[in-house]
Amino acid sequence: MGEALIEIKGVTHAYQTATGPLPVLDDLSLVVPEGDFCAVVGPSGCGKSTLTRLIAGLMKPDRGEVWLHGERVTSPRKTVGMAFQNPVLLEWRSILQNVILPLEIVAPSMPRRDRIARAEELLSLVGLDGFEGKRPSELSGGMRQRASLCRAIVHKPDVLIMDEPFGALDAFTREDLWQTMHDLRMKEPFTALLITHDLRESVFLADEVVVLSGRPATAQYVLKVGLPQDRTLDVLYEPRAVDMLHILRDQIRIAQGRAPQEGAA
Amino acid sequence: MSLRKVAVPAIAMVVVLVLWELLVWVQGWPNYKMASPSDLWPAFWKFRWLFLEYGWQTLWRTVAGLSLAVVFGVGLGMVMGFSRTMRDALYPLLVGFNAIPKATVVPIIALMFVGQHDMNTVLIAFLISFFPIAVSVSIGLSTLEPEYRDILRSLGASKLTIFWKIALPKTLPEFFGALKVAVTLAFIGTNLMEIVEPHGKGLGHLFDSGKISADYPLMFAVLIALAFLGIVLFYVVVFLERIFAGWAEREAT
Ligand SMILES: Nc1ncnc2c1ncn2[C@@H]1O[C@H](COP(=O)(O)OP(=O)(O)OP(=O)(O)O)[C@@H](O)[C@H]1O
Ligand SMILES: [Mg+2]
């Protein structure tokens, strides 16, 4: 485990709306060490997407600071990769051309052949070989999300920020993609921040799970997962994982302003 | 292109012509009421050189006006698409301008620049056709989902890069939809001006001379020629759309 890669220091943010300021984040602090996978869960509308936009430098916080790699974030950086709930693939480009897109911005001088090789390598890693020339509309939702993940990491970002990337997928496809995520991480390590609504997903994928409180959000609870790096889905049925899921569920209930469930432990 | 694709519309056209001929023949209409297709060919032949010359004039003026409309409309659409303030400022003005029936603008322009026939005609074709282009581009740009922008913005891409790589191609289907409307409008504009202006040129003028000399078959022949040109212009746009925005076309299932 390396030094801190993502550092969020006392971030407070409010949106200006027609009915006045809407406080969304309140003195939120969070540290993700290099190489770690951090999952963030919290009640709906508590400010998770806002957090990702602040880390990516797409917005500036009202107060507090965001640091990446020991540098203060004030604007977007080329070393970030992003994936969203909606795969947002460009319909006029083939899958391969979609994956190459970030390279056109980040590495304009990279030879075409190398770009293609890089994209093909990733696509085959997520099981999309043979689909390079297809249009996004010819792929299933799960396949599109795989392509979107490839695009997010094609330029070897330091940080991968994902905002509910598996949220719209059915349960089986989702579990497949968790496995894909794992495989990708084994092949090329990256630091990740994953927003999710799925507690099992957070426990399976992450090294630590941060529970945010209700809006305005602050870090309410941090769970160190401590499962071995090389996991399979079976781990979720082991008692220690089940215990963790219970703890997280109680924390979510607290965040939602409800009492933890009786008899849960 | 399959035989079917050519044959079906061709047969339909022949059927319509035959019905038209029959109708005129059965009703015994004289030429000044309704010319029949068999009268048209002599009219075409008699004025064949004029048809070519004037047809060309109508064509290039329409295309010139439309090109101006594309440049101006896309520029205006970009300004309105990217800036909320500009959109709020310009939209009512544009709607107001578009609400004015263009037939009333034609004589005004004709009087404003007397004798500048080419310019007047191109100007009216432009004025009448830039509106749908500007609106479609501005709507296309302003409704671009923020996530599309964010994939590139999060990498530090400039606004211009985002425009070229995302916003522009994403707006192309809407743009071509509007261009199909605009090409028809520009064509109408050209003809309005050609008909109204004295001593003009172009097919509109030929139509007017037909009217003055009570040469009804000539008037109908001009109508057919105009329809033909209109079809050609429209399908040129469809062809360009296939090339540049063909991805937006879904396979029929
Ligand atoms: N651009 C904006 N302007 C004004 N208010 C906004 C804006 N974006 C988000 N909000 C508000 O801020 C709050 C937090 O939004 P955010 O999208 O960060 O929540 P979230 O935790 O990602 O929600 P979800 O779990 O549903 O995705 C919400 O109440 C939302 O209505
Ligand atoms: Mg969200």
Side-chain angles (χ1 to χ4, degrees), chain A residues 4-191:
Chain A
L5 192 96
I6 308 175
E7 280 177 280
I8 295 161
K9 302 179 182 169
V11 162
T12 299
H13 192 77
Y15 285 109
Q16 299 306 322
T17 64
T19 51
L22 175 76
V24 175
L25 299 177
D26 178 29
D27 196 19
L28 174 72
S29 294
L30 185 73
V31 176
V32 184
E34 183 164 5
D36 256 25
F37 198 117
C38 173
V40 176
V41 297
S44 185
C46 74
K48 302 183 293 296
S49 298
T50 308
L51 178 63
T52 62
R53 295 172 60 77
L54 288 171
I55 299 175
L58 293 170
M59 293 184 337
K60 280 193 200 107
D62 293 344
R63 258 183 295 129
E65 295 169 4
V66 176
W67 290 64
L68 280 185
H69 242 331
E71 275 178 54
R72 185 160 174 200
V73 174
T74 50
S75 60
R77 314 156 51 92
K78 295 187 189 305
T79 54
V80 167
M82 285 193 101
F84 307 93
Q85 174 165 9
N86 177 350
V88 279
L89 297 175
L90 312 181
E91 302 101 274
W92 56 93
R93 286 174 171 238
S94 68
I95 293 301
L96 187 84
Q97 292 297 327
N98 262 288
V99 175
I100 284 175
L101 181 71
L103 294 177
E104 293 172 10
I105 311 295
V106 173
S109 58
M110 187 170 175
R112 211 181 116 75
R113 204 156 17 96
D114 296 357
R115 284 183 199 168
I116 293 178
R118 168 75 181 144
E120 280 176 342
E121 174 198 348
L122 283 178
L123 283 171
S124 90
L125 218 59
V126 301
L128 280 182
D129 17 21
F131 290 90
E132 293 87 353
K134 295 255 192 258
R135 300 268 164 185
S137 57
E138 296 174 282
L139 267 60
S140 72
M143 291 157 102
R144 277 181 230 173
Q145 200 51 264
R146 285 170 202 270
S148 160
L149 281 180
C150 290
R151 182 180 61 195
I153 60 173
V154 71
H155 54 298
K156 305 198 170 150
D158 296 344
V159 193
L160 176 57
I161 304 170
M162 293 170 282
D163 192 354
E164 299 186 43
F166 314 126
L169 302 174
D170 68 89
F172 300 123
T173 310
R174 199 182 301 174
E175 290 182 356
D176 272 356
L177 272 158
W178 295 350
Q179 200 59 56
T180 304
M181 198 74 231
H182 246 305
D183 299 345
L184 280 178
R185 219 180 136 211
M186 295 288 124
K187 276 259 165 40
E188 10 188 296
F190 45 77
T191 309

Side-chain angles (χ1 to χ4, degrees), chain B residues 1-12:
Chain B
M1 212 181 309
S2 67
L3 184 67
R4 201 192 134 95
K5 255 185 165 164
V6 186
V8 171
I11 291 172

Side-chain angles (χ1 to χ4, degrees), chain B residues 163-180:
Chain B
F163 177 75
W164 274 117
K165 292 211 185 272
I166 311 258
L168 181 76
K170 190 142 179 58
T171 312
L172 275 183
E174 276 109 346
F175 168 78
F176 275 107
L179 195 60
K180 279 187 221 164

Side-chain angles (χ1 to χ4, degrees), chain B residues 9 50 95 187 230 243:
Chain B
L50 272 186
V95 172
F187 195 54
I243 293 180

Side-chain angles (χ1 to χ4, degrees), chain B residues 78-111:
Chain B
M78 277 171 69
V79 169
M80 293 202 307
F82 283 130
S83 155
R84 236 224 116 99
T85 320
M86 291 308 276
R87 184 155 67 247
D88 292 346
L90 293 175
Y91 207 73
L93 279 175
L94 258 184
V95 172
F97 176 80
N98 192 53
I100 302 171
K102 293 301 167 303
T104 60
V105 181
V106 171
I108 295 179
I109 299 273
L111 285 177

